[in-house]
Structure formats: structure tokens, C-alpha cells
Amino acid sequence: MKLKFPTAYTILFALIALVAIATWFVPAGQYDRVANEALGRDVPVPGSYQVVEPNPQGFYDVVLAPIGGFYDPVSYEARAIDVALFVLVIGGFLGVVTRTGAIDAGIARAMVRLKGREKWMIPILMAFFAAGGTIYGMAEESLAFYALIIPVMIAARYDAVVGVAIIMLGAGVGTLGSTINPFATVIASDAAGVPFTNGIMLRFALLLACWLACVVFVMRYAAKVKADPDLSIVADKRESNEAHFLKGGRTGGEAPTFTSMHGLILLIFAASFGVMIWGVAAGGWWMAEMSGLFIVSSIVVGLIARIGEEEFTSTFVDGARDLLGVALVIGIARGIVVVMDAGNITDTILYWAEGAVDGLGKVAFINAMFALQGLLSFLVPSSSGLAVLTMPIMAPLADFSGVDRSLVVTAYQSASGLVNLINPTFAVVMGGLALGRVPYERWLRFMWPLLLILIIIIMAGLSLSALA
């Protein structure tokens, strides 16, 4: 019997169990924390780490961790429940739009017009997602685009991996090279005590260099798959992916006719995402407002297509059901951090990292900082959470090594962005792969050469800046 790599659910449950086991062996400790009005949350005080009473996590805690990933069972404070609900609403919205046939007809028309030039969609779309990443840290909201981009890529005779890579690498490399991202660069700079504009030129340079590396990497893979579909890392899933993403509409036969109703629905479809991006970037929106937007858009599309009330509701529910697995993955992934915090080992790991970089020279310090932030990113995938946790402790250490604090901010955001391209504890990665039907171990196989390239680019930029 051939052994199969476990599903995302099993991987995440195993990580929860491993972290729970670690709470029995890793010393419990905490930093004192003080309220920071600018950040709107408590931040750790450097030099205040102290050993506290251990709180090892047992079977009961492991079982409740996925539930705790959605919301705190004690205080009822929301954790990932809002993101999971947003995904379900997006599923309903996509179900209604798909029912009208507008996406199917639009893709067919686009393929006719772009025949021979499909490859240029890759850099254009990756630039769009990178802009969202660098401006406001596009992450969970990128999940809404998978059902739009992947069918286009498959219809262009690429594969699902190309569609996933365009979105995940595009938004991810933008976050890696965050320039004005308020959830990473601005929070981290404020916690480090420096203006967020310090070091912005290096971040622009890293953004452009890493984006170019990702575009070239994805375009080479896409060309290889188009020339020989058997070279796809999901070649064995080609037929099922075509059936799932194309709904049987573009694998053969006559292309569907594109009507004025289809055009109007696609205009509303695109406008909904445009309004979502504006709302997050400038309107102070988050998951509740975005979910409400797509509920309204679903109703508008249903009215235009003259879908009856009963058919509309059943279509919406069926669409939400298609993404139920993704919603569950998001909550389970958040449960890992819940166990770490409850076991009082998060601050201990940070304290060990503090000791590892103390007293190093410039180049060694900044590269050690990059490595440590990468390790911490696996445990704290939230960029804002990692910034608040680490910057008050790590940034002052730069003064003793003669390194500008802004460079520590760049090392943090580069490491966080890099790790979150493959991080199994990051709901966006596991959710995106589930949406794209790409097994996690195959994503790792696809990504490892690119990760090495990005690491070299980032370390070179950090080292040269430290010596400047």
C-alpha cells in the first residue's frame, strides 16, 4: 500500500499536539507588559522576562484548540471565526455568480482574445497582488480571488499551481517587501521607536527584486506545464481539477455565448473586489464589512440574472458548502497559537531569541535577526502580532551592534513574509492550497528552489545595508 502525505487537517492537528507536548518541557515564562496607546495593545517590556508557573496543555486543551482558534470559549472573544465566516460568504457569492454562467462565458471570451499571449497575465496579476501586499498586507482577503484566477489559468492550459502561485506569491512577496503596510511596517517601526519611512528604499529594492524572481519562476513553470502537462506537479489531478474549476464548460465543445447580462454581472463581480480593497485600505473595513459587501453583491447578481428566491438561497448555501473545508482549516491553524499562549511558552521562545543575537557584529546580527524572526513566524504567523511581540525586545539590541533599528524592522517583515509563503500555521497558506486543490507537500516541492533564491536576495540586501 502506497503511503500518502496527510491532509491539511491532520498536519495542523499534529502541530497542535506537538506544541502541547512542548508546553510540558519548555520553561514557562512571561514578559511584563504595558499598554501602548499608539498600537492599541499591550507590548512586552525589555529585560522584564521572568519564569512563571507552568501551564502544560493536555488532551482536553488539544481537543478544544481548534474551537479556540475560532473564538475564545471563556471570553467569547472572536479569533478566526470572522475570517471563516467571510470565506463561507465568498463561497456563496461565487456560487451565485457561477450559476449565471458569467464567469464561464467571460473566461472563454478572454481566452479567445488573449490567445498566444496568456503568459502576460502572470506578471500583471502578480503585480496587482503585490501592490495589495505592500500597501496594506493583503492576506485573508486574497482567498476571495482563487475561484476567479485558477479557472482562467487552467483554461489557458496551465495548472492550478500557477493560479495559486499568482495569488499567494504575489500578495506574499508584496507583504515581504512591505513599504507602507500599516499591519507590518508601520506597527513594527512604531514599536521599534523609528519612523516607518526609515529604510523604505531598501524595502522597495527588496520588493522589486523578489517580485521579479517570483514572476520569472512562475512563468518558467507555467511554460513548462503548457508544453508538457505531465510535468505539472498536480498532473494526476488534471482531469478532476478541470471538472471542478471549469465545471465542464471549457474542456471541449463550443464556447458559451457572452451576453450583455454576463458583462454586467462581471462588472459587478470586479467592482465588488475593488470596493473590498478600497474598504480595507482606506475605509477601515475588516471581515464583517467585507462579508456584508458580498452578501449585497450576491443579491444584486441574483436580481440581474432573475434567479428565483428559492433557487438563489439554495445556490448560495451550496456555494458556501463548497468552502466549508477551507473555513475549518482556518480555525484549526489558529488553534496552534492558542495552545502556545495558554501554555506560557510564547514569551520563553522570544527570550531565547533575545539571547541568541546579543553581542554579535553588524552582518552577523542582522542575518541572525532575520533567521530568528523566520523561526518565530512559524509560531506567530500574524505579522502585526509578531511585530508587537518582538520589536520592543529586539529593536533595542540593534543599538549594541551598531545597526539601525529600521533594518531590524526590514529583517522582521522580510522573514515574516518569506515564511508565510509556506507556513502551515498560517491560515492563508492552508486555506489557499485547499481552495486550489494543491497538496501541501507538493507546494513545498514547488517552492523550495524559489525560497533559496529569495533568502539569498534578502540576506544580501540586509548585509549590504548593515555595512553601509
Side-chain angles (χ1 to χ4, degrees), residues 115-262:
K115 194 166 184 64
R117 302 191 302 272
E118 296 93 345
K119 66 180 182 180
W120 296 114
M121 290 189 291
I122 295 173
I124 292 170
L125 290 171
M126 290 184 75
F128 165 78
F129 287 110
T134 194
I135 293 170
Y136 68 93
M138 189 179 205
E140 286 88 350
E141 58 273 32
S142 69
L143 295 172
F145 291 91
Y146 283 85
L148 172 63
I149 302 298
I150 294 176
V152 174
M153 293 301 113
I154 291 179
R157 293 192 294 119
Y158 299 133
D159 66 3
V161 176
V162 174
V164 171
I166 286 173
I167 301 170
M168 198 174 296
L169 292 182
V173 81
T175 304
L176 182 158
S178 292
T179 50
I180 59 173
N181 176 5
F183 305 109
T185 306
V186 175
I187 286 180
S189 297
D190 190 86
V194 295
F196 77 90
T197 51
N198 287 13
I200 196 169
M201 295 310 297
L202 170 63
R203 292 167 199 148
F204 265 123
L206 290 176
L207 171 63
L208 292 174
C210 292
W211 174 83
L212 183 60
C214 290
V215 166
V216 171
F217 186 83
V218 175
M219 290 184 76
R220 287 188 62 185
Y221 172 82
K224 181 175 69 174
V225 168
K226 192 167 189 176
D228 184 358
D230 289 336
L231 295 178
S232 166
I233 63 172
V234 290
D236 59 317
K237 297 177 175 290
R238 183 166 68 246
E239 290 186 5
S240 64
N241 280 345
E242 287 179 352
H244 177 79
F245 290 110
L246 303 183
K247 309 297 183 186
R250 290 175 296 281
T251 56
E254 186 176 348
T257 303
F258 187 83
T259 67
S260 57
M261 183 194 75
H262 291 149

Side-chain angles (χ1 to χ4, degrees), residues 370-423:
F370 172 66
L372 285 170
Q373 291 285 2
L375 291 173
L376 291 170
S377 295
F378 275 106
L379 304 174
V380 188
S382 166
S383 58
S384 58
L386 185 63
V388 171
L389 179 68
T390 64
M391 281 300 104
I393 304 298
M394 296 300 193
L397 297 177
D399 301 339
F400 298 101
S401 296
V403 174
D404 192 280
R405 292 190 180 193
S406 66
L407 200 56
V408 176
V409 174
T410 303
Y412 136 78
Q413 69 179 52
S414 300
S416 176
L418 180 78
V419 167
N420 281 342
L421 297 177
I422 60 166
N423 194 352

Side-chain angles (χ1 to χ4, degrees), residues 343-356:
N344 292 328
I345 64 172
T346 304
D347 283 7
T348 298
I349 295 170
L350 177 60
Y351 176 68
W352 289 346
E354 178 186 357

Side-chain angles (χ1 to χ4, degrees), residues 353 356-358 360-375 394 411 415 459 462-463:
V357 298
D358 189 24
L360 296 177
K362 290 183 178 182
V363 173
F365 171 84
I366 200 60
N367 283 291
M369 182 67 68
F370 172 66
L372 285 170
Q373 291 285 2
L375 291 173
M394 296 300 193
M459 291 183 69
L462 292 174
S463 299

Side-chain angles (χ1 to χ4, degrees), residues 68-71 77-85 327 330-332 334 427:
F70 285 108
Y71 73 97
E77 179 184 356
R79 285 173 175 156
I81 188 68
D82 55 348
V83 181
L85 180 60
I330 289 170
I332 297 170
R334 190 71 64 91

Side-chain angles (χ1 to χ4, degrees), residues 27-83:
Q30 287 183 346
Y31 286 94
D32 291 336
R33 280 172 164 75
V34 295
N36 186 307
E37 294 183 5
L39 297 177
R41 61 182 81 185
D42 293 342
V43 299
V45 178
S48 67
Y49 176 83
Q50 56 191 310
V51 175
V52 299
E53 191 70 24
N55 185 31
Q57 303 291 284
F59 177 77
Y60 177 81
D61 303 295
V62 170
V63 170
L64 284 188
I67 309 301
F70 285 108
Y71 73 97
D72 188 329
V74 177
S75 68
Y76 297 102
E77 179 184 356
R79 285 173 175 156
I81 188 68
D82 55 348
V83 181

